Amino acid sequence: MIAAVVGVGLIGGSLALSLKERGVANWIIGVDNNTANLAKAQELGIIDEGSTLEDAMDRSNLVVLAIPVDATLGAVVGILDKVKDGQVIMDVGSTKHKLLQLVAGHPNRGRFVAAHPMAGTEYSGPEAAVKGLFTGKTMVLCDVKNSDEDAVEMVEAMVDKLNMRTVYMNGEEHDLHTAYVSHISHITSFALALTVLKKEKEQGRIFELASGGFESTVRLAKSSPDMWVPIFKHNRNNVLDVLDEHIRQLEQMKELLQSEDYETFYKLIQKSNKIRKILK
Amino acid sequence: MIAAVVGVGLIGGSLALSLKERGVANWIIGVDNNTANLAKAQELGIIDEGSTLEDAMDRSNLVVLAIPVDATLGAVVGILDKVKDGQVIMDVGSTKHKLLQLVAGHPNRGRFVAAHPMAGTEYSGPEAAVKGLFTGKTMVLCDVKNSDEDAVEMVEAMVDKLNMRTVYMNGEEHDLHTAYVSHISHITSFALALTVLKKEKEQGRIFELASGGFESTVRLAKSSPDMWVPIFKHNRNNVLDVLDEHIRQLEQMKELLQSEDYETFYKLIQKSNKIRKILK
């Protein structure tokens, strides 16, 4: 089949590579407003050709939207307006609730499948695309009851071929859960980077001592604002809730340190150690 | 030479393995209050024999203290009291200022070298010990001007053989810098784990969506409270300062989200992206 990938960055590019490698698609049309990225993607063998959205819509069986979530919201209705018989439109964005509300009443709603691969890195652009990014990872499919059966089956078959695990939930659940296990991680990383970069201005040598632990907690701060600001915007209420709770936890630790209540601090750390049962 | 390693956990055990492998020591005496850990360390080939601190002090050229920082403070004076001619005592703890104040006036202060390898993992105990943990990492040596020249030379030669890089600073600088590039990372991880574990009680499926980004920011929350509470206690003022600043950064992000000032939020993320120049 012919797949069109709109947005040939980290996620779109990696998906294009995987679709080809796993034999899901035999031809990949890339679409990107950024012509330099489009040329780069072709040069790197990520896509077979670059084209316009209209041409890609005309010729492909599957259209994957792998652009920032605000851009998806801006484009999806026009795309669904023009969808052809049997064609499937799929997004891979990090927020779902607003998007699913937007397409809810569309006459071609059934051709749309909302998907979110729980995979990524802190890098962006076609150079960041890697084969195997999705292997063993989870694909969340949202509100599949509102998608046509054949459209869901096409996406499920793809997910199987990519060796991914499928999780089904509605858009609201998805946005709540990702606020906790993805979006807040980015907020804390951005804030931690700012904290330490600020101190570096007074204490130039500070990074000489940085090691694996620091790198681990701060690496997400390399992530692109073009991708992340729209996510925080679309998932604002959930992100604010989890951010409130996170600040409360930090305030509690601060108070325990201030009052030198190391016994309670010890118990808190023990409690947080329960994350061991989740992370292998 | 004969090296004694007091505390055969992650750091002490890894150091024991490296000293042997790199030919720095040909015999390793392990010392540990936890007899099960001592037996385990011998079974794993990390140490050549287990013994008492007194016996180890009698027979070794180098004594490495690799125990929690409060235990080091409790033991170091008694150890310096009994140090023999030419013997070197070295610690590998994560805080230095209080320790260096404590030994400052000791008649055998010169035999002591304060060292901190900027390496580790979130695991603990002898089973967590790995060869090569220190390769390519930084060893901080503190206040070497107060150590005897031959003692510093012995430690520097070891650092060279372990393929580590040396950074020199005083205890105060060390504690300030590690608060920013190590201790705060652990606080944010502990707090993030608590935030998400709390939510899991309402929303059982939350971790199904956890992926690499989440794991990265939260893995340090597996770290042992036995090691970390004493560090936060000894470095309380610096940790409180950086925690204050970190909470301020998070509050700022929260306010920007509340007021929907996405333009400023975008600029903040761009600023935090400067961490790219530090982390490769």
Side-chain angles (χ1 to χ4, degrees), chain A residues 233-250:
Chain A
K233 188 173 170 180
H234 286 191
N235 205 14
R236 179 171 166 266
N237 292 341
N238 287 319
V239 170
L240 277 172
D241 281 349
V242 60
L243 190 49
D244 260 342
E245 176 59 29
H246 183 58
I247 291 173
R248 248 197 309 279
Q249 296 287 353
L250 289 168

Side-chain angles (χ1 to χ4, degrees), chain A residues 143-156:
Chain A
D143 282 0
V144 290
K145 65 179 190 308
N146 298 326
S147 302
D148 293 345
E149 215 173 302
D150 70 295
V152 176
E153 278 166 8
M154 186 203 273
V155 173
E156 285 174 335

Side-chain angles (χ1 to χ4, degrees), chain B residues 36-85:
Chain B
N37 275 359
L38 199 58
K40 189 78 192 168
Q42 191 156 8
E43 186 191 320
L44 294 170
I46 292 170
I47 57 173
D48 295 300
E49 63 168 307
S51 189
T52 62
L53 177 60
E54 270 164 3
D55 177 51
M57 286 288 298
D58 260 0
R59 292 162 48 214
S60 56
N61 310 95
L62 169 71
V63 177
V64 182
L65 302 177
I67 48 184
V69 289
D70 54 340
T72 299
L73 252 78
V76 70
V77 172
I79 288 173
L80 282 180
D81 286 346
K82 289 179 214 145
V83 76
K84 294 184 308 174
D85 271 1

Side-chain angles (χ1 to χ4, degrees), chain A:
Chain A
M1 80 172 181
I2 299 177
V5 174
V6 183
V8 293
L10 165 68
I11 299 295
S14 299
L15 192 63
L17 287 169
S18 305
L19 292 178
K20 203 71 178 290
E21 191 198 30
R22 299 291 179 157
V24 179
N26 49 11
W27 191 260
I28 307 271
I29 307 172
V31 177
D32 209 305
N33 283 339
N34 183 328
T35 50
N37 275 358
L38 200 58
K40 190 76 191 170
Q42 191 157 8
E43 185 191 320
L44 294 170
I46 292 170
I47 56 173
D48 295 300
E49 62 170 304
S51 189
T52 62
L53 178 60
E54 270 162 4
D55 176 51
M57 286 288 298
D58 260 359
R59 292 163 49 215
S60 56
N61 310 95
L62 170 71
V63 178
V64 181
L65 303 176
I67 49 184
V69 289
D70 54 339
T72 298
L73 252 79
V76 71
V77 171
I79 287 174
L80 282 180
D81 287 345
K82 290 179 215 144
V83 74
K84 295 185 305 173
D85 271 1
Q87 194 175 37
V88 174
I89 313 297
M90 168 188 162
D91 88 305
V92 290
S94 294
T95 57
K96 294 296 180 224
H97 185 51
K98 275 184 203 291
L99 174 62
L100 289 166
Q101 280 185 314
L102 180 67
V103 299
H106 198 284
N108 299 328
R109 165 66 182 91
R111 306 315 303 157
F112 179 68
V113 179
H116 182 196
M118 300 310 299
T121 73
E122 64 274 32
Y123 304 105
S124 43
E127 298 89 344
V130 279
K131 277 181 199 174
L133 181 65
F134 304 110
T135 310
K137 302 294 170 57
T138 297
M139 179 75 94
V140 189
L141 299 183
C142 292
D143 282 0
V144 290
K145 65 179 190 308
N146 298 326
S147 302
D148 293 345
E149 215 173 302
D150 70 295
V152 176
E153 278 166 8
M154 186 203 273
V155 173
E156 285 174 335
M158 170 209 298
V159 170
D160 272 354
K161 287 218 177 171
L162 297 181
N163 282 327
M164 298 182 78
R165 202 169 67 93
T166 317
V167 166
Y168 301 89
M169 51 179 68
N170 66 43
E172 276 180 88
E173 272 181 294
H174 168 275
D175 285 9
L176 175 66
H177 290 200
T178 51
Y180 277 82
V181 297
S182 166
H183 306 173
I184 187 67
S185 290
H186 286 79
I187 298 253
T188 59
S189 252
F190 291 132
L192 192 54
L194 290 171
T195 303
V196 181
L197 286 165
K198 190 172 171 185
K199 194 67 182 180
E200 193 206 13
K201 290 190 180 158
E202 302 159 34
Q203 296 276 338
R205 302 177 63 195
I206 206 159
F207 289 109
E208 286 181 21
L209 271 54
S211 68
F214 177 71
E215 179 156 350
S216 180
T217 48
V218 90
R219 76 170 174 86
L220 296 179
K222 296 189 234 172
S223 304
S224 158
D226 293 320
M227 175 175 171
W228 281 96
V229 169
I231 292 173
F232 298 141
K233 188 173 170 180
H234 286 191
N235 205 14
R236 179 171 166 266
N237 292 341
N238 287 319
V239 170
L240 277 172
D241 281 349
V242 60
L243 190 49
D244 260 342
E245 176 59 29
H246 183 58
I247 291 173
R248 248 197 309 279
Q249 296 287 353
L250 289 168
E251 289 284 3
Q252 187 187 0
M253 289 183 163
K254 181 178 143 185
E255 282 154 26
L256 292 172
L257 263 182
Q258 276 170 334
S259 62
E260 307 206 54
D261 180 356
Y262 299 113
E263 206 175 312
T264 309
F265 206 131
Y266 189 99
K267 283 179 192 154
L268 267 191
I269 294 183
Q270 269 188 319
K271 212 166 139 186
S272 85
N273 284 167
K274 288 190 179 140
I275 205 74
R276 288 177 190 152
K277 74 178 189 299
I278 312 297
L279 305 177
K280 296 301 163 281

